[in-house]
Amino acid sequence: MSMTREQILELAEFHDEKACALSFYFQPQTPRNKAHKEDAILIKDLVREAQRGLENKGKKECARADLERIVQLSSELRSNGTQGTAIFACAARNFWREYDLPPQLPGTQIFVDRHFHLKPLAHLLSAMPHLGVALVDRHRARLFELRLGEFTEWEDLFRSLPRRGRSDGYAGYEAGHAQRRVEDEALHHFKNVAEALKTALDKGMFEKWILGCQDVHRSQLEPHLHPYVSQALLGHFHADLARVSKEQMRTKSEGIVKDWQSRRCRELVAQALEQARSNGRGVTGLRRVLRSLELGEVQSLMIGENFLAHAVECSGCGHLDAHLVSFCPVCGKATHEVVDVGEAILPWVIRRDIEMFYVKDDPEFDKVGNIAALLRYRSEQNSNVQSISSGSTNPPVRSRSAYPGRLRRFASR
Ligand SMILES: [Zn+2]
């Protein structure tokens, strides 16, 4: 089951004061047939290790029931060895969620903490546009949604397309003009497809799309695309609508998205760095980025793939501070240390629908602290830092219903 934005939000906002929130990620090992047993052993080992860690902290019962349940599940996970799984649980609060994920997780892992561990999920979903894939030929068209490696077809969208052009347009092309008529029908067909794509985009059914068709049809369709439908087109692949398999569609589409993502990431990093240098709409370095996040200014966040930095989090208002202070500078309550601030900011990123990219080895980026943001606007330099967690200080959430619904990375229908 693909995750919806609401489900991801629910995880991001979950908080357990006693720090018994358990996150479990299962990444099947390859080769599959040999690894089944190893997977189960690995899970048992990880569970034992997690249990021991909790006992050392004097929290023996903390996640025990959930850990036991995961061991029981391990045989089921094995038999489903082509898929990744994530489980988020907190027995004390009667919380248990299980999700299938593409098998592209960093590994099988268990975390027990105050919040759920969302980084592996963020890696899967970061900067992932809400994607449509259209298959088109001379007579037909099919439109799919691609989320977390799964295709869903929008049946109704193209069913409403007339199979032939409007009949009143053909009065003059009767017998003897068969060829002309066929061309005319094709023209109508491609116009209709272009119109249907525009409607789908307007309705927020996708925010970016990919076209699969034969080259000859591409040149017939593209002139009819509305300019913003063209703009939302990430790329195309050669496909025969009648023959292409889902696996081929997936591979082609994922390649196109990957290229687009790395292009966009490079552009955004360059832009943020340049803007930061001129004191414009960009900031670099953890302290400034945290501040901009709290001020609600951030549009796009770029973070080094291996970025790891400590910070403190206020137990009262949720303020995050790059300085390891014992008391919150905003509300005065005690703080606790956060081992990975890159994890701690994820709830904010998700809640605010911020576009996020993980940046791979970039020396320029490394120099400025491995974290940077491009801002929507820059608020007054001397305004007070407010806590991002208290709902009342958040700017109103932008409506995402209409085009261009930048549902962004954690988008869903
Ligand atoms: Zn505080």
Side-chain angles (χ1 to χ4, degrees):
M1 172 176 48
S2 267
M3 299 181 75
T4 65
R5 182 173 187 277
E6 286 66 35
Q7 289 166 334
I8 296 162
L9 254 182
E10 178 191 39
L11 299 177
E13 284 174 353
F14 190 92
H15 176 102
D16 183 55
E17 214 31 73
K18 295 196 175 117
C20 298
L22 179 143
S23 315
F24 169 71
Y25 288 91
F26 171 68
Q27 165 66 24
Q29 300 188 30
T30 46
R32 255 171 263 138
N33 52 350
K34 270 180 87 180
H36 281 174
K37 203 175 166 194
E38 289 163 30
D39 279 334
I41 292 170
L42 176 63
I43 291 170
K44 274 202 187 110
D45 284 349
L46 285 171
V47 163
R48 207 175 302 133
E49 201 181 302
Q51 185 60 38
R52 211 178 299 134
L54 290 169
E55 280 168 23
N56 289 342
K57 289 186 201 161
K59 303 199 298 188
K60 193 175 170 192
E61 295 305 316
C62 185
R64 212 222 301 256
D66 291 327
L67 288 168
E68 277 169 10
R69 199 164 158 190
I70 283 168
V71 171
Q72 282 162 16
L73 263 177
S74 62
S75 61
E76 220 174 282
L77 295 171
R78 272 187 294 150
S79 60
N80 185 19
T82 55
Q83 206 145 31
T85 301
I87 293 172
F88 304 94
C90 188
R93 294 159 146 250
N94 205 17
F95 191 97
W96 179 277
R97 301 284 185 275
E98 224 175 299
Y99 297 105
D100 290 339
L101 296 173
Q104 296 154 16
L105 299 163
T108 297
Q109 295 169 294
I110 294 175
F111 306 87
V112 182
D113 210 336
R114 238 175 250 105
H115 305 278
F116 290 129
H117 182 78
L118 301 178
K119 221 176 187 175
L121 208 53
H123 269 275
L124 277 183
L125 297 170
S126 65
M128 185 52 93
H130 195 183
L131 197 68
V133 179
L135 294 181
V136 179
D137 72 8
R138 197 181 174 82
H139 304 286
R140 283 167 304 168
R142 300 176 72 187
L143 185 60
F144 301 83
E145 178 188 28
L146 178 59
R147 263 179 64 72
L148 290 174
E150 273 178 54
F151 280 103
T152 318
E153 184 160 9
W154 280 301
E155 298 281 356
D156 47 346
L157 182 69
F158 286 109
R159 192 184 289 153
S160 58
L161 289 181
R163 287 201 68 76
R164 302 156 67 95
R166 291 195 312 272
S167 57
D168 59 347
Y170 293 102
Y173 306 109
E174 285 309 333
H177 294 87
Q179 178 58 33
R180 176 72 185 272
R181 175 173 177 148
V182 166
E183 278 168 23
D184 229 57
E185 283 190 18
L187 177 72
H188 275 277
H189 169 68
F190 288 116
K191 273 188 174 170
N192 281 332
V193 171
E195 195 55 38
L197 285 165
K198 178 177 176 293
T199 306
L201 196 53
D202 286 341
K203 283 185 181 162
M205 290 166 80
F206 56 83
E207 52 176 352
K208 299 284 178 195
W209 67 291
I210 289 170
L211 172 63
C213 67
Q214 294 181 22
D215 293 339
V216 54
H217 297 143
R218 193 179 136 216
S219 58
Q220 283 178 281
L221 172 66
E222 286 193 342
H224 300 297
L225 294 176
H226 193 279
Y228 65 68
V229 179
S230 288
Q231 260 174 35
L233 178 61
L234 294 187
H236 50 84
F237 59 92
H238 186 88
D240 183 338
L241 183 146
R243 291 205 197 103
V244 65
S245 71
K246 284 206 170 159
E247 202 43 52
Q248 288 169 312
M249 280 167 63
R250 190 193 333 274
T251 313
K252 301 270 190 192
S253 302
E254 284 173 353
I256 289 169
V257 170
K258 252 203 175 112
D259 289 347
W260 172 77
Q261 281 174 332
S262 57
R263 261 197 330 270
R264 179 155 176 82
C265 179
R266 274 198 305 276
E267 282 166 20
L268 287 173
V269 166
Q271 223 179 323
L273 264 51
E274 193 196 311
Q275 289 284 330
R277 274 194 291 271
S278 62
N279 252 345
R281 285 174 45 244
V283 286
T284 57
L286 181 60
R287 200 177 52 80
R288 287 193 208 86
V289 168
L290 284 180
R291 184 167 179 280
S292 288
L293 271 172
E294 296 203 327
L295 288 169
E297 301 170 330
V298 176
Q299 174 199 301
S300 309
L301 177 69
M302 285 70 74
I303 184 164
E305 193 167 49
N306 301 311
F307 178 82
L308 196 63
H310 289 227
V312 292
E313 184 181 33
C314 171
S315 54
C317 70
H319 168 71
L320 277 179
D321 209 302
H323 298 295
L324 305 182
V325 290
S326 309
F327 295 96
C328 175
V330 178
C331 75
K333 291 241 169 69
T335 62
H336 53 249
E337 192 165 354
V338 171
V339 181
D340 182 1
V341 69
E343 171 72 35
I345 60 175
L346 288 177
W348 305 356
V349 169
I350 293 165
R351 218 176 293 143
R352 293 213 161 156
D353 247 343
I354 292 166
E355 180 182 33
M356 185 174 71
F357 289 89
Y358 286 102
V359 181
K360 277 184 200 154
D361 352 286
D362 180 337
E364 250 336 83
F365 191 63
D366 201 37
K367 262 188 242 161
V368 300
N370 248 314
I371 186 163
L374 194 64
L375 311 181
R376 277 199 291 270
Y377 55 85
R378 191 166 188 138
S379 43
E380 289 302 312
Q381 302 284 325
N382 59 356
S383 62
N384 292 324
V385 172
Q386 296 169 320
S387 159
I388 198 150
S389 295
S390 56
S392 58
T393 59
N394 289 350
V397 176
R398 288 160 298 153
S399 162
R400 309 246 170 242
S401 53
Y403 176 81
R406 285 160 93 185
L407 290 154
R408 302 187 168 282
R409 40 197 296 278
F410 292 106
S412 74
R413 271 191 285 173

